[in-house]
Amino acid sequence: MERLKSNGGEHDNPVYDSTLDGPTIYDTNFSNDEHRTVRPSVVSAFGHDTLDRVPNIDFYRNAGSVSGHRAVRPSLQELHNVFQKVCNGAISVPDTVADDGEGSDGTPSDDLESAVPADDAKSPVKFGWIRGVLVRCMLNIWGVMLFIRLSWIFGQAGWGLGVVVIVLSCVVTTITGLSMSAICTNGVVRGGGAYYMISRSLGPEFGGSIGLIFAFANAVAVAMYVVGFAETVVELLKENAAIMVDEINDIRIIGCITVVLLLVISVAGMEWEAKAQILLLVILLAAIVNVFVGTFIPATEEKKSIGIFNYQLNVFLENFPPDFRDGESFFSVFAIFFPAATGILAGANISGDLKDPQGAIPKGTLLAILITALTYVAVALSVSATVVRDATGNITDLVTDGISCEGSTAFAACEFGYNFSSCAVEKCNFGLMNTNQVMTMVSGFGPLIIAGTFSATLSSALASLVSAPKVFQALCKDNIYTILHFFAKGYGKNNEPIRGYVLTFIISVAFILIGNLNAIAPIISNFFLASYALINFSCFHASYAKSPGWRPAYKFYNMWLSLLGALLCCVVMFVINWWAALLTYGIEILLYIYVTVKKPDVNWGSSTQAVTFVSAVSNALSLSGVEDHVKNFRPQILAMTGSARARPALLDLAHSLTKNYGLCLTCEVIVGPRSEVLEEMNSGMEKNQLWLRKTKRKAFYAAVACDHFRQGAESLLQASGLGRMKPNILMVGFQRNWKTAGTEAVQSYVGVLHDAFDFEYGTVILRMDQGLNVSHIVEAEEETLKAAKEQQALDKDIMLNGGKPKGLFRKSKKSSKQVLTTRVSVCGPPPLQVAKMNERLLEASAQFKKKQPKGTIDVWWLFDDGGLTLLLPYILTTRKKWKDSKLRIFIAGQPGRCEQDKQEMKSLLEKFRINCTDIEVIDNIHIQPSAESFRKLEDMIAPFCLRDGSKDVAQAEAMRKEQPWKITDEELSSFEEKTNLQVRLNEVLQEHSKSANLIIVSMPIARKESVSDFLYMAWLDILTKDLPPTLLIRGNHKSVLTFYS
């Protein structure tokens, strides 16, 4: 509950947390190997000597920043604390410090908000927005769709709906691009692309689940693109009768060789990979230009026979309406086209290799979407204006004299003298609908289209082969999946993920050899779409949270447009393939649950935290507008535990009562001069809350620093909580040492109970024979751990100097429990007794953490306090640990009407819907206690009795003034019956409840300024003496139970 003295600390100037992506967190301790260079105060811009510093970017850098030296501003304490005077009377001005990198793990943080000059030979290769983003995105979006399937799509949908297909696809990708632009301009972007943006925005749960899916999708996409390339090569081999084994095995052989060559290019470094991409882009652009050139070359008779004419309005108009065949529809055609638009993350995926990701990603991605969309539309419209849907390929299929073209299924071709009406009866081999080689036939030079197809597939495969390891490496670096941390290591000046490249290579080859890629293609498309959906949702979520930290430099976004983009992505997932969409959601949910359960130790300031905070404030405000109702009463406990670890039994019992359904505050009053204890209190806040979280206690830690314990407790009683979420029960441990603690301590303890009653708190006191306070054991454990760390540091220093490890400290071979239980106290009993006492204390302290054995909770509901004495034990029986403990109710009854009292209580419990195994009426409480029991009380209060009855009035008055806290004879006489009742109750409790798991008893109340503090403590002591764990409960006499619905 309290600490009498601060242990002090070595805190002079705080440092940042070394977590690269975390917020600025101050630490209070430095290890032996950490040091700082002293920088004296300087003459500032204000013209005088000062410690204050003007705003500077170096104060805001993370530890280990490679873009500049991090500085540490003077602490508030340095500026605010009293000046220290030196011996000559002068004032000593504390020095401020410059950071020298302590707290960093030695790994650069990739904090590249500004470039720093570096040795060209050692500096990593960084790309601008054109080579790094624009080129990669265009190559990924211009896939084989452009040369093989685009003509078929416009044949089925007509150019009217075909343009709608492209525009709708671009709407989804453009909204995603806008959302991504907003996210990546809201702070420094490092390696990891989509994973980095989602994880830093929505948190590790979403980021970890989508990161793994996204990396896997890219790895399998390598196999898909390579197989597309291999199939084209095999077609050429087949035409030239050069098949090596058979078609399937030839695809596998060519595919594996291709992946090996791509891997070599990737491993050689990003610079070589970028050069290869430029070469492929040149080929691809030449192929696209070749298509346009071909449409202007006058069509030969042979070309006309296969349905290719020069630009003709009739052909263009005939191809406008849709002509869906073979069960195709708008949505099926859209599902086939949309995967071509999923290359917009190619640039973002190498965000760690960009010079300025914040500027490059928005500019390059959005421009790539615009250029590729216009290219797709232009190529498609050109082909739609020059090629008819069906053609026989037979030069002799001409229109004969006398045959009218009206009503012909191939009206445009008929007008140009060709009769393709037979295609309505039997399938033809040429035209937009019947062949995938339309682009080759239309182009000016056919082989260049084949080269363009090769370029499109290889560039997409190369981009995916680079993206997958980069994203995977970023995921592994964050250590969300500890088993994958092996793949976090990078090599070379670009920190290349060689291990990730090898893993991606293995996955790709496996799918080339065994995979049915037609079946897996929808799943991969859905994986990409899930990433897009989360990018859009991240932008919406961050905007919705209205966190002050959400300040994207890119302003052309809208939160509702981002939400629409997320919903569109989800809809498109089902349009492409409903079972693949369900599978994607299922995998993502499982990974999300896994990461949530594992609770990775990261804090990225996600929008999820911001929204949680906003929701909490909103709900608290909503509650404040609603009056409390007895049906919704729940215990909200302020437990005076001291530090979170000091009284585990008290905390565990409080936690059992509140669990996840009520407020539990574990509170500490640190007693001492504020200047001495304030630092200790501040440093203990985070440590105690962290311990509560790690031990899964759903509680909050609160502490106050005061000169007096009662004053601090009073502050907590009055100020704790928020709106309706404030404590209504004070829970304290019984002060076992009240007879030796001193007058001030007893007055303070009893005063807190009086304050609780004044503030209308329900009050609960827990007594256990072994005691509750294990703070001396905790302190000894911390000392042992500190000594062990010092020994390790000493050994390390000696080893570095070439010596043998030796020193004053030795790491104990015993367990901490053995060390602690043999801790010797100078003034205490012999060590063996101390060990046994501590062992019993530790065992008792863990009693309420374990599952309770079969037994009873005995409730002695002697006084009606509003029902709290009955409600709390009932709540305990609903908890898993206490489910084998049954309620027994004991009430006081008058002689001769026990059965009637029992039936009345039974009826009341039934109305309250509270089950109990037995109701016992005790009708002999009123009799006098035994002489032996009363003698125990007399011995207990003897040192505190004034014994003024035999003195004359003046002498007695003088004695009362001199020792006002002592128990007078008049007081003993006035409260004789109540004193006897406590002694008698103990006898009855010994008789009926000696074997109970827990005893609940109505707490006696001491009237202020009538009952002395020592007499009240004697009442509480004698009432609960030599019993199993006992709870004294007194409600605030407002109903907490009701039998109305």
Side-chain angles (χ1 to χ4, degrees):
M1 278 188 293
E2 65 172 307
R3 287 195 208 150
L4 297 179
K5 188 176 179 183
S6 166
N7 291 329
E10 293 122 11
H11 172 276
D12 271 326
N13 201 26
V15 297
Y16 291 103
D17 181 36
S18 59
T19 306
L20 300 181
D21 302 302
T24 302
I25 299 174
Y26 291 102
D27 193 4
T28 58
N29 298 300
F30 307 130
S31 61
N32 293 336
D33 57 348
E34 291 179 331
H35 64 280
R36 292 205 169 150
T37 57
V38 176
R39 184 180 66 208
S41 55
V42 297
V43 177
S44 71
F46 307 103
H48 64 274
D49 190 15
T50 180
L51 287 178
D52 259 333
R53 296 291 183 264
V54 296
N56 190 289
I57 190 174
D58 291 337
F59 291 134
Y60 297 90
R61 297 188 190 279
N62 283 332
S65 169
V66 298
S67 60
H69 197 62
R70 189 193 67 167
V72 178
R73 67 179 65 82
S75 70
L76 187 60
Q77 286 74 24
E78 286 177 327
L79 297 174
H80 181 248
N81 283 353
V82 177
F83 280 130
Q84 302 293 320
K85 288 193 175 183
V86 294
C87 56
N88 61 2
I91 292 176
S92 171
V93 180
D95 293 316
T96 183
V97 295
D99 178 55
D100 63 353
E102 77 280 358
S104 172
D105 59 0
T107 306
S109 66
D110 298 331
D111 177 13
L112 301 175
E113 68 273 13
S114 62
V116 290
D119 184 4
D120 291 339
K122 295 182 179 179
S123 62
V125 177
K126 298 291 181 181
F127 302 108
W129 70 274
I130 296 177
R131 287 180 67 192
V133 183
L134 180 64
V135 170
R136 292 172 187 279
C137 288
M138 288 195 304
L139 283 171
N140 243 27
I141 297 171
W142 282 332
V144 291
M145 181 70 62
L146 185 63
F147 299 113
I148 294 178
R149 299 288 275 174
L150 188 62
S151 57
W152 177 86
I153 287 170
F154 271 64
Q156 290 276 356
W159 63 263
L161 287 181
V163 171
V164 172
V165 167
I166 295 175
V167 169
L168 188 56
S169 301
C170 290
V171 165
V172 175
T173 55
T174 302
I175 293 174
T176 305
L178 294 173
S179 300
M180 183 169 63
S181 300
I183 295 170
C184 72
T185 57
N186 190 53
V188 175
V189 177
R190 302 188 183 93
Y195 158 72
Y196 183 88
M197 287 184 277
I198 293 170
S199 63
R200 269 49 175 187
S201 183
L202 290 178
E205 295 83 5
F206 282 104
S209 57
I210 203 65
L212 203 58
I213 289 174
F214 189 70
F216 177 77
N218 273 286
V220 178
V222 175
M224 289 178 56
Y225 294 129
V226 167
V227 166
F229 167 76
E231 285 176 346
T232 309
V233 174
V234 169
E235 283 293 324
L236 293 175
L237 293 175
K238 189 177 177 182
E239 288 177 10
N240 294 282
I243 294 292
M244 293 178 283
V245 183
D246 55 61
E247 287 188 34
I248 297 297
N249 285 311
D250 280 11
I251 290 173
R252 290 171 177 167
I253 293 168
I254 295 168
C256 290
I257 294 171
T258 305
V259 172
V260 170
L261 293 174
L262 294 177
L263 179 67
V264 169
I265 294 172
S266 301
V267 172
M270 290 296 293
E271 198 168 3
W272 283 96
E273 186 265 350
K275 289 176 180 176
Q277 293 280 26
I278 293 294
L279 175 62
L280 294 172
L281 177 65
V282 170
I283 297 171
L284 197 54
L285 287 172
I288 293 170
V289 171
N290 184 37
V291 172
F292 289 113
V293 170
T295 58
F296 287 99
I297 296 174
T300 62
E301 293 300 320
E302 185 179 352
K303 276 195 172 184
K304 290 179 180 179
S305 69
I306 58 177
I308 298 173
F309 303 90
N310 293 107
Y311 287 99
Q312 302 292 341
L313 181 61
N314 288 343
V315 174
F316 191 57
L317 293 175
E318 185 179 73
N319 287 334
F320 173 75
D323 184 15
F324 294 113
R325 303 178 190 174
D326 302 325
E328 300 293 345
S329 65
F330 173 80
F331 292 109
S332 66
V333 169
F334 175 79
I336 290 170
F337 175 81
F338 187 82
T342 59
I344 62 170
L345 294 179
N349 287 339
I350 63 161
S351 53
D353 296 295
L354 299 175
K355 290 177 184 175
D356 177 22
Q358 292 173 286
I361 292 174
K363 195 188 305 180
T365 304
L366 294 173
L367 189 57
I369 292 171
L370 176 64
I371 292 172
T372 52
L374 292 176
T375 305
Y376 270 115
V377 171
V379 170
L381 291 179
S382 295
V383 173
S384 298
T386 56
V387 185
V388 296
R389 281 193 169 102
D390 298 291
T392 59
N394 192 342
I395 300 176
T396 60
D397 285 341
L398 302 174
V399 176
T400 56
D401 294 338
I403 296 178
S404 173
C405 291
E406 293 294 332
S408 171
T409 56
F411 177 78
C414 182
E415 285 199 334
F416 299 120
Y418 286 85
N419 183 8
F420 297 148
S421 57
S422 61
C423 293
V425 181
E426 59 184 25
K427 184 175 176 61
C428 293
N429 295 323
F430 299 96
L432 295 175
M433 302 287 278
N434 305 309
T435 178
N436 290 331
Q437 302 301 318
V438 170
M439 296 297 181
T440 306
M441 298 170 182
V442 169
S443 66
F445 182 61
L448 192 53
I449 297 299
I450 296 172
T453 306
F454 288 170
S455 174
T457 52
L458 292 177
S459 62
S460 297
L462 191 56
S464 296
L465 185 58
V466 170
S467 297
K470 295 280 185 182
V471 173
F472 192 59
Q473 183 187 33
L475 174 67
C476 296
K477 272 186 178 180
D478 289 335
N479 208 23
I480 292 176
Y481 303 99
T482 51
I483 196 172
L484 301 176
H485 192 64
F486 171 80
F487 295 97
K489 184 174 176 60
Y491 297 87
K493 60 184 180 182
N494 264 56
N495 198 33
E496 294 291 347
I498 303 298
R499 296 173 179 178
Y501 281 130
V502 173
L503 180 64
T504 305
F505 170 76
I506 293 170
I507 293 172
S508 304
V509 170
F511 276 95
I512 289 170
L513 294 177
I514 65 172
N516 181 3
L517 295 183
N518 289 333
I520 204 168
I523 300 175
I524 303 307
S525 296
N526 274 293
F527 282 0
F528 285 122
L529 275 167
S531 305
Y532 296 174
L534 279 180
I535 289 173
N536 284 305
F537 185 73
S538 297
C539 183
F540 164 77
H541 205 252
S543 304
Y544 176 77
K546 291 182 171 57
S547 171
W550 173 250
R551 303 184 302 274
Y554 187 85
K555 302 297 182 184
F556 302 102
Y557 74 96
N558 180 276
M559 60 182 285
W560 301 111
L561 194 62
S562 296
L563 181 61
L564 174 65
L567 293 175
L568 280 175
C569 288
C570 295
V571 170
V572 171
M573 288 173 71
F574 282 96
V575 168
I576 289 177
N577 191 297
W578 66 268
W579 62 262
L582 292 177
L583 181 63
T584 303
Y585 287 133
I587 294 172
E588 191 172 335
I589 289 169
L590 287 174
L591 291 173
Y592 179 91
I593 293 171
Y594 173 82
V595 177
T596 303
V597 170
K598 287 293 182 182
K599 288 185 174 61
D601 188 19
V602 294
N603 181 11
W604 294 324
S606 67
S607 60
T608 306
Q609 293 171 329
V611 168
T612 302
F613 180 84
V614 170
S615 300
V617 172
S618 176
N619 291 336
L621 289 171
S622 299
L623 276 176
S624 65
V626 180
E627 287 189 16
D628 290 330
H629 193 282
V630 62
K631 286 196 298 184
N632 291 325
F633 175 86
R634 61 187 66 229
Q636 303 193 99
I637 297 176
L638 190 155
M640 301 294 290
T641 61
S643 70
R645 301 175 62 186
R647 291 169 178 81
L650 190 68
L651 176 59
D652 288 335
L653 193 58
H655 183 243
S656 293
L657 290 168
T658 57
K659 210 67 176 175
N660 298 325
Y661 316 110
L663 179 67
C664 181
L665 294 176
T666 169
C667 298
E668 179 176 16
V669 178
I670 303 177
V671 177
R674 190 171 67 172
S675 59
E676 294 180 13
V677 301
L678 195 59
E679 187 179 303
E680 179 186 0
M681 184 189 75
N682 291 337
S683 65
M685 284 286 190
E686 188 66 28
K687 182 175 72 173
N688 281 285
Q689 193 62 53
L690 180 65
W691 183 85
L692 288 170
R693 191 165 64 249
K694 283 187 175 179
T695 54
K696 298 182 180 177
R697 263 88 164 191
K698 303 294 190 290
F700 300 96
Y701 172 78
V704 291
C706 286
D707 293 331
H708 303 285
F709 173 71
R710 183 178 180 182
Q711 180 188 353
E714 188 178 353
S715 299
L716 289 167
L717 287 168
Q718 292 184 84
S720 296
L722 184 69
R724 299 286 181 193
M725 292 182 61
K726 61 183 301 180
N728 50 30
I729 295 172
L730 171 68
M731 191 170 185
V732 297
F734 179 71
Q735 190 172 20
R736 291 172 70 235
N737 67 339
W738 66 273
K739 287 176 283 191
T740 58
T743 305
E744 186 179 347
V746 172
Q747 288 176 335
S748 182
Y749 180 84
V750 176
V752 170
L753 299 180
H754 285 306
D755 292 339
F757 292 138
D758 286 343
F759 298 134
E760 294 192 338
Y761 273 70
T763 307
V764 178
I765 299 176
L766 173 63
R767 177 169 186 177
M768 298 176 69
D769 271 350
Q770 296 82 0
L772 298 169
N773 191 355
V774 298
S775 57
H776 61 287
I777 299 178
V778 172
E779 287 172 8
E781 184 182 24
E782 289 176 349
E783 287 172 11
T784 305
L785 292 172
K786 186 177 180 181
K789 286 182 179 178
E790 289 175 355
Q791 174 64 32
Q792 286 178 348
L794 188 62
D795 290 348
K796 183 180 178 182
D797 288 342
I798 294 174
M799 291 297 289
L800 289 173
N801 293 329
K804 294 184 178 179
K806 57 183 179 180
L808 298 173
F809 300 101
R810 287 288 179 189
K811 188 172 182 180
S812 176
K813 301 293 184 184
K814 300 178 182 179
S815 67
S816 60
K817 186 173 179 180
Q818 288 174 313
V819 172
L820 300 175
T821 54
T822 55
R823 187 170 178 259
V824 179
S825 173
V826 175
C827 302
L832 184 60
Q833 289 178 274
V834 173
K836 288 182 178 178
M837 285 170 56
N838 284 343
E839 191 173 347
R840 286 196 299 269
L841 178 57
L842 286 172
E843 187 176 344
S845 296
Q847 179 172 340
F848 299 131
K849 194 176 181 182
K850 300 179 292 188
K851 190 177 188 307
Q852 300 300 303
K854 286 188 177 181
T856 62
I857 298 176
D858 287 358
V859 182
W860 292 75
W861 195 14
L862 304 176
F863 311 108
D864 194 324
D865 59 351
L868 189 67
T869 307
L870 182 62
L871 179 63
L872 293 186
Y874 165 74
I875 290 173
L876 279 180
T877 60
T878 64
R879 307 304 189 218
K880 192 180 294 184
K881 292 175 184 174
W882 292 86
K883 68 176 183 179
D884 292 333
S885 298
K886 306 302 179 185
L887 287 183
R888 288 199 304 174
I889 310 296
F890 294 84
I891 58 172
Q894 298 177 13
R897 50 170 289 155
C898 291
E899 193 58 36
Q900 185 180 348
D901 289 339
K902 183 175 182 178
Q903 289 304 319
E904 288 176 357
M905 178 54 64
K906 185 178 180 181
S907 173
L908 181 61
L909 292 176
E910 285 176 353
K911 287 186 176 181
F912 286 150
R913 303 168 305 283
I914 293 177
N915 297 322
C916 65
T917 57
D918 191 19
I919 300 173
E920 291 194 29
V921 180
I922 310 299
D923 62 355
N924 60 352
I925 294 178
H926 62 282
I927 67 175
Q928 289 292 319
S930 66
E932 183 183 352
S933 298
F934 199 79
R935 194 178 305 112
K936 290 179 182 178
L937 175 70
E938 289 178 333
D939 293 341
M940 191 181 292
I941 63 175
F944 313 106
C945 290
L946 191 62
R947 305 189 191 286
D948 58 338
S950 59
K951 311 294 181 183
D952 58 49
V953 176
Q955 192 176 1
E957 186 65 30
M959 291 173 67
R960 282 194 289 271
K961 283 186 178 179
E962 185 181 350
Q963 297 174 312
W965 46 269
K966 281 202 170 184
I967 306 168
T968 64
D969 291 348
E970 182 186 355
E971 182 185 354
L972 280 175
S973 176
S974 300
F975 294 100
E976 182 181 0
E977 290 183 355
K978 198 163 186 177
T979 303
N980 290 343
L981 176 62
Q982 313 312 320
V983 181
R984 176 60 186 152
L985 278 174
N986 182 260
E987 291 180 343
V988 179
L989 287 165
Q990 296 280 358
E991 180 183 347
H992 292 87
S993 299
K994 190 69 174 175
S995 60
N997 287 345
L998 182 68
I999 300 174
I1000 312 286
V1001 187
S1002 294
M1003 183 197 302
I1005 292 181
R1007 192 174 294 277
K1008 286 191 294 185
E1009 298 182 7
S1010 297
V1011 179
S1012 65
D1013 296 333
F1014 280 96
L1015 181 58
Y1016 187 46
M1017 289 303 298
W1019 287 357
L1020 300 180
D1021 196 344
I1022 198 67
L1023 174 61
T1024 57
K1025 192 174 181 64
D1026 299 326
L1027 291 172
T1030 304
L1031 272 182
L1032 294 171
I1033 299 179
R1034 174 66 71 158
N1036 63 0
H1037 287 247
K1038 294 179 181 178
S1039 295
V1040 298
L1041 292 170
T1042 182
F1043 45 78
Y1044 295 107
S1045 59

